[in-house]
């Protein structure tokens, strides 16, 4: 299957050629329980896509409830020679959970065990726990789990771990991997491993491995005390680059805001059309900023530093007077995805990360590229981390998808030229795997291939993701 990203890369699959001997499937059903193995075509089809791509209908779908079930499935897969694709909530935006050949999809949504240890300040979770649940269960103890992908109400912690998910709070508080104390995973042969973060930090390697090295079945996550004070401001800019300049300035001055988010004019107007929250429609860009902590004076002081940096770069600043006003501003940010989704029939979401010092040049270059291609590009993102999500909005009846993909590649190239990386948080998956040749040198690609081969010698775990297909046996 050639998934050249210069072309339209994904297409709906034909019916799968389902060839497994009925006896071995029956055996699996008997071992796990019939309800955990989905065989009907209509059911299996529901497991062929994620947030961006449609792949091949899986040969069968298994819904494990325990690590022992996962072990059974891996052994079954070995016997019948099928690859395994791990799947959480399928909210991924890089095609990671999409099967691209006849496979077993292992859907973790029924592995939802979650326990809080308030003394140790940890949460022990199975992979199917919905991210937001962790803070909800921890809050009665005055604790929280800070990493907050915007999809936290639907995405699973297994998917977050496999993608090393980030979110608005991650500038100050760190990303998913920073909270992992220990990890359990099942390897390609069905062996269970329990890893602490000691020498040869294999747990760290599993985080962000996108289902290609092992199947994560449990994690112990660090929790933090909930900060006592939070303040919010909105800074309104007349030019996008100025917003990016203000970010660098505020951080260089020593401010560590807990959230530092960017929305351009296209996003502001999309949200206004969608919800009418009173955002400044005429602004070229806004920054939404939170500072937090236990000392109200420090929290205020940090907010003042950010306000000053924004004003220095021409912004008008509005400080939220109470938590209700702050909630309205964050509602605006959370609504960007559905709001821009309503502008045109289709959109493709980029996910690049660049050094903060490059942000002004990068946001301006992306604006210019949109004009050059005659396509609407809107930009938002976790700008404190240098993580931007330029979205290309289009109507397939009018705009050529080929051109859209070309533009997305050009945006990725802008990031690479400015010392950035292909993905800030959504992962490489299928969408960007062929781009890896441009992003990493051949020696590094070789090292990555050797890591994959050490963990998965028969290439059975999420094959065809992250690493481009070799051009030659030496590649
Ligand atoms: C509206 C919207 C907003 C988003 N905002 C953010 C954001 O702010 N930050 C961010 O980081 N992402 C964001 N995302 C992307 C997505 O939600 C994240 O990548 C999330 O971590 C995926 O979780 P999931 O449970 O849906 O995983 P899936 O999409 O099901 O899977 C993602 C990858 O993880 C692997 N995987 C899943 N479970 C396991 C497991 N148990 N063991 C091994 N591998 C596994 C899969 O094989 C796949 O490669 C957003 C998506 C949407 C739709």
């Amino acid at each position: 299957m050639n998934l050249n990203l210069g072309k339209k890369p994904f297409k709906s699959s034909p019916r799968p050629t389902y060839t497994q001997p009925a006896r071995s499937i029956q055996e699996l059903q008997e071992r796990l329980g019939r309800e955990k193995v989905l065989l009907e075509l209509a059911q299996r089809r529901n497991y062929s896509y994620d947030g961006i791509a449609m792949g091949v209908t899986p040969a069968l779908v298994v819904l494990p409830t325990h690590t022992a079930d996962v072990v059974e499935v891996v052994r079954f897969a070995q016997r019948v020679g099928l690859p395994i694709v791990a799947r959480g909530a399928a909210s991924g935006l890089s095609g990671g959970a999409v099967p691209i050949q006849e496979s077993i999809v292992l859907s973790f949504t029924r592995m939802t065990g979650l326990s809080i240890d308030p003394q140790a300040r940890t949460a022990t979770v199975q992979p199917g726990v919905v991210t937001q649940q962790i803070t909800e269960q921890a809050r009665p103890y005055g604790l929280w789990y800070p990493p907050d992908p915007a999809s936290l109400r639907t995405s699973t912690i297994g998917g977050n771990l496999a993608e090393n998910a980030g979110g608005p709070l991650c500038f100050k508080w760190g990303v998913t991997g920073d909270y992992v104390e220990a990890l359990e995973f099942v390897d390609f042969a069905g062996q269970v491993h329990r890893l602490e973060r000691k020498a040869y930090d294999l747990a760290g390697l599993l985080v962000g491995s996108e289902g290609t090295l092992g199947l994560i079945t449990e994690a112990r996550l660090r929790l933090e005390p909930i900060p006592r004070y939070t303040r919010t401001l909105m800074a309104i800019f007349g030019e996008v680059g100025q917003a990016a300049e203000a970010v660098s300035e505020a951080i260089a001055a020593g401010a560590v805001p807990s959230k530092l988010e960017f929305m351009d004019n296209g996003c502001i107007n999309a949200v206004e059309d969608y919800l009418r929250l009173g955002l400044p429609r005429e602004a070229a860009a806004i920054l939404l900023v939170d500072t937090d902590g236990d000392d109200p004076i420090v929290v205020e002081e940090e907010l003042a530093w950010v306000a000053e940096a924004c004003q220095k770069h021409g912004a008008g600043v509005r400080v939220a007077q109470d938590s209700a006003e702050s909630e309205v501003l964050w509602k605006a940010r959370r609504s960007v995805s559905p709001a821009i989704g309503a502008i045109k029939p289709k959109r493709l979401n980029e996910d690049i990360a660049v050094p903060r010092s490059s942000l002004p040049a990068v946001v301006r270059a992306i604006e210019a590229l949109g004009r050059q291609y005659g396509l609407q590009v809107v930009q938002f993102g976790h700008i404190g981390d240098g993580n931007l999500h330029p979205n290309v909005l289009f109507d397939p009846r009018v705009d050529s998808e080929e051109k859209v993909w070309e533009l997305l590649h050009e945006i990725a190239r802008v990031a690479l030229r400015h010392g950035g990386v292909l993905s800030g948080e959504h992962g490489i998956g299928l969408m960007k795997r062929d781009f890896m040749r441009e992003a990493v040198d051949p020696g590094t690609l070789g090292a990555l291939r050797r890591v994959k081969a050490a963990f998965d010698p028969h290439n059975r775990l999420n094959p065809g993701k992250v690493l481009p297909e070799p051009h030659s046996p030496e590649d």
Side-chain angles (χ1 to χ4, degrees):
M1 192 177 186
N2 178 14
L3 293 167
N4 181 346
L5 285 183
K7 312 226 166 66
K8 189 174 164 185
F10 312 116
K11 58 181 185 204
S12 298
S13 70
R15 287 170 74 88
T17 53
Y18 186 43
T19 54
Q20 299 318 309
R23 198 158 37 88
S24 55
I25 295 192
Q26 229 173 32
E27 232 175 76
L28 183 72
Q29 284 180 313
E30 275 159 24
R31 281 174 184 272
L32 299 183
R34 278 186 178 277
E35 73 292 350
K36 294 184 191 171
V37 184
L38 306 183
L39 297 173
E40 295 302 322
L41 179 63
Q43 291 175 315
R44 288 184 281 125
R45 266 201 191 122
N46 293 333
Y47 294 83
S48 59
Y49 63 87
D50 74 353
I52 190 158
M54 177 71 108
V56 172
T57 301
L60 70 158
V61 175
V62 184
L63 306 162
T65 54
H66 300 95
T67 300
D69 293 347
V70 178
V71 172
E72 282 294 342
V73 176
V74 173
R75 294 197 175 138
F76 169 81
Q78 265 192 327
R79 281 200 300 279
V80 300
L82 280 175
I84 296 179
V85 179
R87 192 179 198 262
S91 70
L93 293 173
S94 58
V98 171
I100 54 170
Q101 64 193 76
E102 192 165 61
S103 316
I104 299 172
V105 165
L106 202 50
S107 169
F108 283 99
T109 48
R110 290 193 190 166
M111 283 184 75
T112 54
L114 165 57
S115 64
I116 306 290
D117 181 340
Q119 236 87 51
R121 289 190 186 161
T122 57
T124 299
V125 292
Q126 284 188 320
V129 167
V130 171
T131 315
Q132 191 178 35
Q133 280 296 318
I134 305 172
T135 288
E136 275 176 17
Q137 301 286 325
R139 194 176 287 122
Y141 304 101
L143 299 171
W144 69 322
Y145 172 70
D148 61 339
S151 53
L152 87 174
R153 290 185 181 82
T154 49
S155 69
T156 65
I157 191 67
N160 290 181
L161 288 162
E163 298 287 3
N164 199 9
L169 280 162
C170 294
F171 172 65
K172 174 173 178 178
W173 288 96
V175 294
T176 305
D178 297 319
Y179 287 81
V180 176
E181 288 191 353
L183 206 68
E184 178 190 89
F185 82 99
V186 176
D187 73 10
F188 76 99
Q191 176 97 36
V192 181
H193 303 269
R194 292 189 179 85
L195 306 168
E196 298 283 330
R197 304 203 71 167
K198 297 277 158 38
Y200 297 106
D201 180 9
L202 295 186
L205 197 53
L206 261 287
V207 172
S209 65
E210 303 189 25
T212 64
L213 301 184
L215 302 160
I216 298 167
T217 45
E218 195 177 281
R220 191 175 75 238
L221 305 171
R222 181 166 57 85
L223 301 173
E224 288 285 342
I226 299 170
R228 291 167 64 194
Y229 301 98
T230 304
R231 297 284 275 141
T232 305
L233 70 71
M234 170 168 65
I236 303 161
F237 293 85
E239 197 264 329
V240 283
Q242 286 176 332
E245 280 157 4
V247 168
S248 290
E249 169 118 12
I251 294 169
V256 189
S258 53
K259 297 183 187 173
L260 186 39
E261 294 288 307
F262 166 83
M263 288 165 59
D264 75 358
N265 177 272
C267 295
I268 294 166
N269 278 287
V271 171
E272 271 311 283
D273 291 343
Y274 193 64
L275 289 176
R276 305 208 189 288
L277 296 174
L279 298 179
R281 279 184 180 277
E282 69 293 347
I286 56 173
L287 292 179
L288 296 176
V289 184
D290 262 10
T291 55
D292 70 6
D294 291 334
D295 181 338
I297 297 169
V298 176
V299 174
E300 285 295 344
E301 211 170 68
E302 249 179 344
L303 200 75
W305 287 348
V306 178
E308 205 176 302
C310 292
Q311 280 158 342
K312 206 167 143 192
H313 289 273
V317 171
R318 235 188 260 171
V319 176
Q321 293 308 306
D322 51 30
S323 57
E325 207 179 316
S326 159
E327 177 49 27
V328 169
L329 292 176
W330 288 112
K331 187 173 180 185
R333 171 61 186 88
R334 283 197 303 273
S335 309
V336 168
S337 265
I340 60 177
I343 297 178
K344 292 258 172 127
K346 280 186 127 182
R347 71 182 170 111
L348 281 169
N349 189 348
E350 247 300 352
D351 165 44
I352 53 171
V354 298
R356 269 192 303 274
S357 55
S358 305
L359 279 168
V362 168
V363 290
R364 286 176 184 132
I366 292 170
E367 268 202 344
L369 274 174
R371 283 194 296 275
Q372 182 190 325
Y373 276 76
L375 289 163
Q376 186 175 0
V377 179
V378 297
Q379 303 190 62
F380 62 97
H382 316 309
I383 199 163
D385 297 310
N387 183 200
L388 288 173
H389 296 308
N391 273 240
V392 183
L393 314 180
F394 63 102
D395 181 344
R397 291 165 303 186
V398 182
D399 306 306
S400 126
E401 276 196 48
E402 210 107 298
K403 198 161 103 176
V404 173
W405 280 102
E406 225 177 275
L407 172 54
L408 284 169
H409 289 177
E410 284 309 315
I411 291 173
R413 286 193 181 104
V414 167
L416 294 179
R417 270 203 303 278
H418 285 85
V421 291
L422 282 186
S423 168
E425 55 183 19
H426 295 167
I428 302 299
L430 195 53
M431 188 176 163
K432 291 190 170 168
R433 64 161 207 198
D434 291 339
F435 228 80
M436 285 286 275
R437 285 182 201 284
E438 283 187 46
V440 298
D441 61 78
T444 306
L445 194 56
L448 295 176
R449 287 198 200 287
R450 290 195 291 281
V451 171
K452 167 72 174 167
F455 273 82
D456 183 21
H458 309 297
N459 196 21
R460 290 269 165 72
L461 298 175
N462 212 0
K465 309 293 169 60
V466 181
L467 298 171
E469 274 168 21
H471 286 160
S472 66
E474 298 78 45
D475 184 14

